[in-house]
Amino acid sequence: MRTKRVARKKGSLNRPRLHPRVESQTSFKLRKVDSTEQRLGPTASVTDEKASAVIDGAMLKSLSARRPWILHDLGDGDHMQEEASSNQEDTEHSSYTCLPKGIARGCPDCRDCVKVMARWQPEKGKKHVLEEAPVFHPNEEEFKETLKYITSIRSRAEPYGICRIVPPPSWHPPSLITEKNMWEDSIFESQVQRIDGMQAQNLGEIVKCSDMEGVGLEPGPKFTLKTFKKYADDFASQYFCIDGILDSEVDSNERVEQREPSLMDIEGEYGRIIDNPTEEIEVICGDNLDSQVFGSGFPVYKSSETCTSQEYLDSGWNLNKTAVLPDSLLSFESYSTSGLLRPRLRVGMCFSSFPWKLAMHHMYYLSYMHIGAPKIWYAIPGSHGSKFEIAIKDYLRESPVEHSKMQHNRQLMKLTLTRLKSDGLPVYRCIQCPGEFVLVLPRTRYSGFDSGFNCAESIHLAPVEWLPHGQNSAELYSEQGRRTFISQDKMLIGAAREAVKAQWLDLLSFKDISVNARWKEAAGKDGILLKALKLRIELEASRRKYLCNSSQSKKMDKDFDTTSKKECIVCYYDLHLSAATCPCSADRYSCLNHAKQLCSCPWVQRIFLYRYEIDELRVLIEAVGGKLSAIYKWAKNDLNLSLLSIVSDKNRSLGRRQLGEAECSIGESDGKGKGKFYDPSVPYGGWNSSASGVREELKARVLQWKSLKEKKLKDKSSVKPTSHFTSAAADAAACNIHMPEVSSDSTSESSSSL
């Protein structure tokens, strides 16, 4: 006997019916209760716990659809249509708008004023026991070289992810913040923050390795620093009044005396608002203000600058200079292609916050506070980054199903310091006061808030030690399809070229420690630069292996990305080293991984652009590693350097050495193979280009050294010559200086090039 299968009607629920014995035979009506009625009704106090649970409208309908004994209160058709159209809004706001308003901004007379209904609740303060981040006090000598000092404290600060740097007592840069043209005239547009949900506003992005990108905050009114300080002070004076309300109807003599809260009181109140909010708290801040537009608190080069600021104009701690210091990787970037070279300012008030984030490209992040109340930072070191992301994902799985990004972010408001500590994550505190720096190390997750009105300025840093983090962030940004703000390859290749130049000058005994020493230290077989370069070139070689052939490849123009940053149209990967293009769209490029997605043209029409051939890059690896023949080859072919390449450089002297009665400046070749000699008796710019005699003498010295070496080898001497190549200024004793081992091929090649 066959069982007949009955097909369900279209639109019916795919759920089994209830057993007849458990079905109710009595019908009743289900009526929607208005949210205000539910809160204000007489049974509200009894049913607070049940009323706090939010029932999704779609789920309610699906459950009631299989219960025929429920008769829905249809009401009029307009009401049902309005309910359907507003269903998403109800689900978004029903769980978040139940808090009473604590702040009212603006009035008919003044739109920039503030009325605070919320009050400080000191007895409910949420205070966390956190370990303090380390504090460093450099002396004046250590403070002179910015990146060198940051590198020296890295190992001690890295376990905390953050540290505080207090400048020497003698360091007092002029503050331009309080000057009239900036204090009263510079205008900025503020952003409104909901503090009772602030900690979660960016957590959805942190799961994807978030950084300084904005989170779509509501724009607020425009302020100057002067008017913003008044607004911030009014807020604080009203909020921290203990009992009474400062109202115009209250006689001034009867007003309650205010008690100034301590910094720990403010932190405890901030923790209470985040953990257990009782009102909606809105504050205002001015974030990510471009110093080129708004102005910088540090002195900048202008014709009106006085000589008294020269020390601070040239200081590496002047954030207008820090990013582009000569030993910084960002010095190879340009202002036209990167937005990270200019400092950014932040203007805050009491409780204005910055949510958990990562610095751009996992860089170092340096902040200096010009004026105002202290800022409290929280940090989770980069070594716990994976555990941090797991904690966030676990919390997201526990959250109810959300219907929009806004509701999704608001549901994360409870992921606080309490929750993070319960998950076993170490959280460190750092308190920054005016005149102090805070340094955030790579891959550190950090957040914080302001205890009152203040103004701080910040910049991203990329010393050589950052290179491994930079390559990881470049690949991660590509996987996530996120735009980059720097060219990782441009900085890596630029650093490698400088390292080769530094080694070349060192071979010639032309040393300039202030410029070249850091690059030379990063090179060598165990140098961090060589390791980063090897990994990147191996990755590039594997991508080119099956894509680029001689018929489809050509040399990239040297100005390919000079004026504008080139990136893949699919994943936004930086295209400094290589790119794919097609004649159908000359202005569109892709990385090698997404060459097929570039367009719909046949594969044979793809053209692959490369800046260097893989063989050339392998020579660069050997040169950075210290191989003498590779150094000579790269210096000659790429840097246009030779044993007699001598040129003047008004902005940067690469090294000087006595040469007979003249003094020379060694640098890049003038392209004609002739050196230029500087005579102190001749005014600057008047050079004597006669170098034929010096050329012959230098050639003789190199041949003399070669002959001496061969003679010692024949005598089987235990002492091997390891001296450097010498210039024509060296006397005969220079041949006795120890030189590195050089093959006869490279020596003859050097001799012939003279």
Side-chain angles (χ1 to χ4, degrees):
M1 178 177 174
R2 300 181 60 185
T3 302
K4 185 177 180 180
R5 181 173 295 178
V6 180
R8 291 183 181 272
K9 294 182 180 181
K10 184 177 181 180
S12 65
L13 292 172
N14 188 21
R15 296 186 181 92
R17 291 180 56 83
L18 295 175
H19 193 277
R21 290 190 179 182
V22 298
E23 287 190 6
S24 174
Q25 303 300 319
T26 304
S27 62
F28 59 89
K29 290 185 178 182
L30 185 67
R31 182 172 64 88
K32 179 181 178 182
V33 179
D34 185 71
S35 57
T36 57
E37 179 181 345
Q38 184 177 355
R39 289 199 303 270
L40 303 176
T43 60
S45 60
V46 181
T47 60
D48 277 347
E49 183 176 353
K50 295 181 180 179
S52 62
V54 180
I55 301 177
D56 182 73
M59 182 183 298
L60 181 62
K61 290 182 179 180
S62 65
L63 291 174
S64 61
R66 55 177 179 166
R67 290 168 172 77
W69 57 89
I70 299 179
L71 300 178
H72 299 276
D73 185 10
L74 299 179
D76 55 8
D78 293 339
H79 172 73
M80 293 300 295
Q81 184 176 2
E82 179 183 350
E83 179 182 354
S85 63
S86 63
N87 181 51
Q88 184 175 356
E89 295 181 9
D90 290 341
T91 57
E92 283 188 10
H93 300 93
S94 59
S95 64
Y96 197 72
T97 58
C98 58
L99 296 177
K101 282 280 187 181
I103 308 293
R105 289 185 291 109
C107 66
D109 298 329
C110 177
R111 71 185 189 92
D112 293 341
C113 65
V114 58
K115 183 177 182 181
V116 183
M117 290 78 75
R119 286 295 176 268
W120 175 29
Q121 302 179 33
E123 72 283 354
K124 297 181 181 179
K126 187 75 173 180
K127 298 182 180 180
H128 300 278
V129 179
L130 302 175
E131 186 177 350
E132 298 293 332
V135 182
F136 296 96
H137 297 267
N139 56 42
E140 293 186 4
E141 188 64 28
E142 293 172 330
F143 199 68
K144 287 181 180 179
E145 298 190 51
T146 307
L147 295 185
K148 183 178 180 180
Y149 181 73
I150 289 175
T151 301
S152 69
I153 65 174
R154 177 177 60 88
S155 60
R156 287 176 285 170
E158 207 163 30
Y160 301 87
I162 193 171
C163 68
R164 184 157 53 103
I165 302 174
V166 181
S170 61
W171 200 75
H172 295 290
S175 178
L176 306 185
I177 296 291
T178 54
E179 291 189 358
K180 183 178 183 300
N181 61 339
M182 194 168 179
W183 183 256
E184 299 182 9
D185 299 337
S186 293
I187 299 174
F188 64 92
E189 184 173 328
S190 63
Q191 296 91 38
V192 180
Q193 295 180 340
R194 278 284 296 272
I195 300 306
D196 47 314
M198 189 61 199
Q199 285 286 359
Q201 280 194 348
N202 209 25
L203 287 178
E205 294 297 319
I206 287 182
V207 177
K208 302 188 303 180
C209 193
S210 175
D211 47 35
M212 297 287 290
E213 297 177 27
V215 292
L217 298 179
E218 175 190 348
K222 294 183 178 180
F223 289 95
T224 63
L225 289 172
K226 182 179 180 180
T227 57
F228 186 86
K229 184 179 187 301
K230 182 180 183 302
Y231 181 96
D233 292 345
D234 288 346
F235 171 90
S237 63
Q238 294 181 56
Y239 189 91
F240 289 102
C241 178
I242 297 177
D243 294 319
I245 299 177
L246 295 179
D247 196 286
S248 58
E249 298 178 0
V250 180
D251 188 88
S252 59
N253 297 325
E254 298 179 359
R255 293 185 183 181
V256 176
E257 184 179 353
Q258 299 182 57
R259 174 172 71 86
E260 187 74 20
S262 67
L263 185 61
M264 293 300 102
D265 289 333
I266 297 175
E267 184 183 24
E269 180 66 5
Y270 177 76
R272 181 196 69 81
I273 296 172
I274 298 300
D275 280 11
N276 300 296
T278 54
E279 303 94 2
E280 289 183 9
I281 305 296
E282 284 188 353
V283 294
I284 294 176
C285 70
D287 198 13
N288 203 30
L289 305 178
D290 190 342
S291 61
Q292 190 177 33
V293 178
F294 182 74
S296 172
F298 288 99
V300 294
Y301 282 96
K302 292 181 180 179
S303 57
S304 59
E305 287 289 346
T306 61
C307 296
T308 56
S309 300
Q310 190 64 40
E311 174 189 353
Y312 301 104
L313 280 169
D314 298 334
S315 172
W317 297 94
N318 180 338
L319 298 191
N320 294 293
K321 288 194 60 178
T322 309
V324 293
L325 288 171
D327 49 351
S328 168
L329 292 168
L330 285 172
S331 64
F332 303 108
E333 281 285 3
S334 64
Y335 289 95
S336 61
T337 59
S338 176
L340 298 186
L341 304 184
R342 289 190 297 268
R344 300 279 169 167
L345 284 88
R346 174 183 168 85
V347 184
M349 60 178 287
C350 187
F351 300 145
S352 61
S353 312
F354 44 101
W356 290 104
K357 63 179 68 176
L358 280 166
M360 290 283 193
H361 294 273
H362 310 169
M363 288 183 173
Y364 288 81
Y365 184 69
L366 186 66
S367 172
Y368 178 80
M369 182 178 289
H370 291 287
I371 57 171
K375 187 192 299 286
I376 298 181
W377 301 66
Y378 303 110
I380 297 175
S383 58
H384 295 268
S386 300
K387 192 174 181 180
F388 179 80
E389 293 177 2
I390 292 173
I392 292 178
K393 292 177 181 178
D394 288 344
Y395 182 78
L396 291 176
R397 281 194 289 267
E398 297 172 9
S399 302
V401 179
E402 64 281 346
H403 296 273
S404 72
K405 184 177 180 181
M406 179 183 295
Q407 185 186 13
H408 172 76
N409 286 336
R410 287 175 174 176
Q411 286 173 341
L412 293 171
M413 59 181 288
K414 292 296 183 182
L415 186 56
T416 59
L417 296 179
T418 304
R419 175 62 186 258
L420 293 172
K421 289 180 67 179
S422 67
D423 288 334
L425 285 164
V427 182
Y428 300 98
R429 180 197 288 114
C430 183
I431 301 175
Q432 181 185 20
C433 297
E436 297 177 350
F437 291 92
V438 163
L439 177 68
V440 180
L441 281 80
R443 291 202 56 79
T444 296
R445 276 77 176 172
Y446 66 96
S447 69
F449 74 98
D450 303 300
S451 64
F453 168 79
N454 60 33
C455 182
E457 194 166 352
S458 59
I459 194 70
H460 289 81
L461 304 178
V464 180
E465 293 75 20
W466 166 81
L467 276 174
H469 302 287
Q471 187 58 46
N472 290 337
S473 70
E475 300 300 325
L476 187 61
Y477 275 45
S478 175
E479 291 176 7
Q480 298 172 351
R482 300 173 59 198
R483 290 187 179 276
T484 58
F485 297 87
I486 55 174
S487 172
Q488 167 72 14
D489 290 338
K490 181 188 292 185
M491 295 191 298
L492 178 61
I493 298 300
R497 296 176 78 243
E498 284 295 320
V500 175
K501 182 186 292 184
Q503 292 183 89
W504 173 255
L505 295 176
D506 184 58
L507 286 172
L508 294 171
S509 297
F510 290 96
K511 300 180 180 180
D512 187 349
I513 297 176
S514 63
V515 176
N516 298 313
R518 287 295 305 277
W519 301 119
K520 185 173 178 291
E521 291 172 4
K525 294 182 178 180
D526 298 325
I528 193 170
L529 177 57
L530 180 61
K531 294 177 181 178
L533 186 63
K534 278 184 177 180
L535 289 175
R536 180 64 186 96
I537 302 310
E538 288 173 3
L539 180 62
E540 181 71 13
S542 65
R543 291 174 176 174
R544 292 190 194 184
K545 185 174 181 181
Y546 300 106
L547 291 177
C548 307
N549 56 52
S550 57
S551 61
Q552 295 176 281
S553 303
K554 69 177 185 179
K555 199 81 168 179
M556 182 185 291
D557 188 82
K558 67 177 182 178
D559 297 326
F560 176 69
D561 58 350
T562 301
T563 57
S564 62
K565 192 175 183 297
K566 298 295 191 299
E567 56 190 10
C568 174
I569 63 169
V570 179
C571 67
Y572 303 113
Y573 196 79
D574 177 66
L575 304 178
H576 180 74
L577 269 185
S578 58
T581 185
C582 182
C584 72
S585 51
D587 57 341
R588 286 164 53 92
Y589 303 93
S590 77
C591 65
L592 301 185
N593 286 344
H594 295 107
K596 290 184 179 180
Q597 290 96 312
L598 180 62
C599 62
S600 58
C601 297
W603 178 256
V604 293
Q605 294 187 18
R606 297 290 191 279
I607 300 174
F608 298 100
L609 308 175
Y610 57 84
R611 188 171 298 273
Y612 297 104
E613 294 182 1
I614 294 298
D615 290 341
E616 293 176 314
L617 293 173
R618 296 196 191 283
V619 172
L620 178 59
I621 291 176
E622 293 178 346
V624 172
K627 188 176 180 179
L628 188 57
S629 59
I631 293 174
Y632 174 77
K633 187 173 182 179
W634 187 269
K636 179 181 178 182
N637 297 337
D638 184 79
L639 302 176
N640 295 324
L641 295 174
S642 64
L643 290 175
L644 283 177
S645 56
I646 304 169
V647 72
S648 75
D649 189 340
K650 295 182 181 180
N651 300 321
R652 179 179 171 188
S653 175
L654 295 178
R656 291 185 174 178
R657 183 183 180 91
Q658 188 69 25
L659 184 57
E661 296 181 354
E663 188 177 352
C664 66
S665 176
I666 302 295
E668 296 185 358
S669 171
D670 62 358
K672 299 179 181 179
K674 293 185 177 181
K676 296 181 179 180
F677 294 85
Y678 174 73
D679 186 347
S681 62
V682 180
Y684 188 80
W687 294 90
N688 177 16
S689 60
S690 175
S692 58
V694 177
R695 181 189 299 274
E696 294 300 325
E697 185 174 353
L698 179 57
K699 183 176 179 180
R701 294 297 181 188
V702 173
L703 293 176
Q704 181 183 4
W705 171 82
K706 180 183 175 183
S707 175
L708 180 62
K709 180 188 174 184
E710 292 176 350
K711 181 180 179 181
K712 288 187 177 183
L713 288 175
K714 290 180 180 179
D715 295 338
K716 297 181 180 181
S717 174
S718 59
V719 180
K720 297 183 179 179
T722 56
S723 63
H724 299 296
F725 285 119
T726 58
S727 69
D731 52 49
C735 295
N736 294 326
I737 300 175
H738 292 293
M739 298 184 68
E741 195 68 30
V742 184
S743 64
S744 58
D745 293 338
S746 61
T747 306
S748 59
E749 185 179 10
S750 302
S751 178
S752 61
S753 66
L754 298 174

